[in-house]
Amino acid sequence: MTGFGISEAAVGFAIMLGLLAAGVHVAVAMALVGLLGAGLYLGWPSINAFGIQLWGATDSFTLLAVPLFVLMGELLVKGGVTERMYRALAVWLGPLPGGLLHTNIGASALFAAVSGSSVATAATIGTVALPAFADRRYDQRLVLGTIAGGATLGILIPPSINMIIYGAMTNTSVGRLYAAGVVPGLVLTGLFMAVTAALCILRPALAGGREATRPLGERLRALADLAPPVALFVVVMGSIYAGWATPTESAAVGVIAALCLALAYRRLTLSALLDCFETTVTVTSMILLIVAAAFYLNFVLGILGVPQALTSFVTSLGLGQTEFLFALFAFYLVLGCFLETLSMMVGTIPIVFPIVSAYGIDPVWFGIFLVMMCELALITPPVGMNLYVVQGVRSGGSIKNVIVGTLPFLAMLVALTLALIAFPGIALWLPNRAFN
């Protein structure tokens, strides 16, 4: 550990960013940097601990919720629940200024409440929504923007896979994180719909005219297709807030409920069920490999004393808490332009979280702040994943249209993140009420 300091830590971080920029897998990049630091400064015992750290990181009851929530989302998609939900929302939201554009946002919010992944939300809603706009005169850029921007809600509205990982890495209550994400998620949904309505009121041509108001009887019948995802959200989140189940146990209940819904709609074949399992294994393996590598890197950094050294350095700068948070906002905003969200989160938590703790910042609040920064990264070029997912579903045209279409929603995300810094109660009010 002799001779190791902040400059060496900065070099290690730069190497990791370089490996990621070169296309090396996130988990491999973090593991290599961890092994390099262990080899140069700690010796063989710390290298031999690699396997133990990997096992310890993944042997977690909390992380068991990840594959369960992924499977639940897949069952809802393959079972036709999402498609019915989108059609039902179109009946209710279509008459608003902006028409079906609001349906994209509302469907993203509802699917987020049973999915936990923004990328999955973008792919699912994009696949369901784009055919509905084929013969309508909506502005193409705004259509794409509502899908890519609305899909960012996937990791903010609980359940959220990113919150599970953050909770596991920082020993923060996932239940509190879920509660903290509800109000910002609802506010952000409202902001997205408000900016869409405002744009369409100022420039009616963007929406190509309002959708016709459906008869009351048809709208009431459509509620039957909205009830299942809403009920699923209530069951999953209600069991956590009522103290009847942990997040992992509630995820298991959610899988059973999603399976029953898919069977009731008679859309789930054996082949589709096998596809659900295959996707779950693939996505979960990718996520947990990254988490395991991050835990090992955290282990090495902890022994080397990097978090303590960085905490002392930052606090010696004399920054106030608000100034520090604005600096952190700028740091993540730039980093999100070049890193995928999961790698950005797990790669910086070992370094940033000890400093956050030293400033006395609530770990639940910081978890929501970090998720908000991940949302920004999802629609920030050149690496914004939602941009490429929507472009891939679209299968044609320039990605520039997707980027331009997301700008109003990017502005709303920035505004809410800054409001979160100014008014922490936006995130902390509900968990303080629900768990105290």
Side-chain angles (χ1 to χ4, degrees), residues 16-30:
M16 186 175 72
L17 292 180
L19 290 171
L20 293 173
V24 177
H25 191 276
V26 178
V28 175
M30 287 192 291

Side-chain angles (χ1 to χ4, degrees), residues 66-86:
V66 172
L68 292 172
F69 280 125
V70 173
L71 179 58
M72 183 171 69
E74 285 296 308
L75 288 170
L76 293 174
V77 173
K78 294 293 194 300
V81 178
T82 307
E83 187 177 339
R84 288 169 176 255
M85 176 191 75
Y86 186 88

Side-chain angles (χ1 to χ4, degrees), residues 332-358:
Y332 276 116
L333 193 62
V334 173
L335 200 62
C337 293
F338 305 101
L339 285 183
E340 184 271 330
T341 54
L342 189 57
S343 58
M344 180 181 81
M345 188 177 79
V346 300
T348 58
I349 284 176
I351 298 171
V352 172
F353 188 73
I355 305 174
V356 167
S357 300

Side-chain angles (χ1 to χ4, degrees), residues 227-303:
V230 172
L232 187 58
F233 174 78
V234 171
V235 168
V236 171
M237 304 312 300
S239 62
I240 296 174
Y241 300 149
W244 297 339
T246 64
T248 302
E249 291 166 345
S250 69
V253 172
V255 169
I256 295 172
L259 181 60
C260 292
L261 284 173
L263 292 173
Y265 287 160
R266 299 182 179 180
R267 288 276 299 271
L268 191 63
T269 63
L270 180 59
S271 174
L273 188 60
L274 292 175
D275 285 343
C276 290
F277 292 150
E278 183 178 350
T279 302
T280 300
V281 170
T282 302
V283 172
T284 303
S285 299
M286 179 271 293
I287 292 173
L288 293 187
L289 187 61
I290 293 173
V291 171
F295 266 83
Y296 179 70
L297 180 61
N298 193 12
F299 165 74
V300 173
L301 292 176
I303 296 178

